[in-house]
């Protein structure tokens, strides 16, 4: 299989109509970043999705599985599987939601929070490598634009 850089350098593909298609460019950039992130997180037994759940469970928000699914734009069954896997590794636990006895919140354990710290360093290093060709100002601009797309109206 050709490397991504080899395919991207193919003149006929690089100059196609897709090179001006914002959705394609976002998807391609996401695929590149996701591959780098997953590779970096693999040494910690995580992938981007499980890392994302663990990061959110490590914060103060105490999200329900439904909230995780909505925020991460995943099918609820995917979140159940991710939480089950993290729980089997004793990285998160489900606790009753004090505001709704019918629901559970997902909370990181001490081991989960420690793993977030270690895996976070690997994820940030991968992100630095992926965005190495962008200046600090360009990164800031890109983050601002992506936040506007990800969280419209805020």
């Amino acid at each position: 299989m050709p490397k991504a850089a080899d395919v991207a350098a193919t003149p006929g593909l690089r100059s196609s109509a897709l090179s001006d298609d914002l959705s394609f460019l976002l998807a391609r950039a996401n695929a590149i970043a996701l591959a780098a992130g997953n590779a970096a997180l693999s040494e910690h037994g995580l992938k981007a999705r499980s890392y994302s759940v663990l990061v959110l469970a490590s914060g103060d928000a105490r999200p329900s599985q439904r909230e995780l699914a909505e925020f991460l734009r995943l099918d609820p069954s995917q979140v159940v599987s991710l939480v089950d896997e993290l729980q089997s590794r004793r990285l998160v636990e489900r606790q009753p939601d004090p505001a709704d006895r019918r629901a559970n919140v997902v909370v990181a354990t001490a081991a989960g929070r420690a793993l977030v710290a270690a895996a976070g360093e690997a994820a940030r290093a991968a992100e630095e490598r992926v965005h190495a060709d962008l200046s600090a100002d360009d990164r800031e601009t890109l983050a601002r634009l992506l936040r506007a797309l990800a969280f419209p109206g805020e």
Side-chain angles (χ1 to χ4, degrees), residues 18-138:
L18 284 179
S19 66
D20 292 325
D21 184 298
L22 288 178
S23 294
F24 167 76
L25 293 171
L26 280 169
R28 181 170 165 77
N30 179 60
I32 291 167
L34 196 55
N38 281 337
L41 292 168
S42 69
E43 67 188 67
H44 300 283
L46 297 169
K47 290 187 175 181
R49 286 182 176 180
S50 55
Y51 174 72
S52 297
V53 169
L54 191 54
V55 167
L56 294 172
S58 294
D60 295 330
R62 299 176 57 88
S64 68
Q65 290 180 170
R66 180 185 51 76
E67 290 169 327
L68 288 169
E70 289 173 10
F71 186 77
L72 296 172
R73 306 291 293 186
L74 296 174
D75 186 89
S77 65
Q78 293 173 302
V79 172
V80 168
S81 294
L82 290 166
V83 172
D84 285 347
E85 189 267 328
L86 292 169
Q87 189 170 25
S88 75
R89 294 175 58 192
R90 294 186 166 88
L91 298 173
V92 301
E93 51 188 35
R94 291 173 170 99
Q95 297 178 352
D97 184 346
D100 181 356
R101 283 188 248 160
R102 298 166 297 168
N104 287 319
V105 294
V106 181
V107 180
T109 63
R113 289 188 299 277
L115 184 57
V116 162
E121 290 179 29
R124 283 185 290 282
E127 184 176 295
E128 286 291 322
R129 287 189 300 276
V130 169
H131 301 121
D133 289 340
L134 298 178
S135 69
D137 286 345
D138 285 346

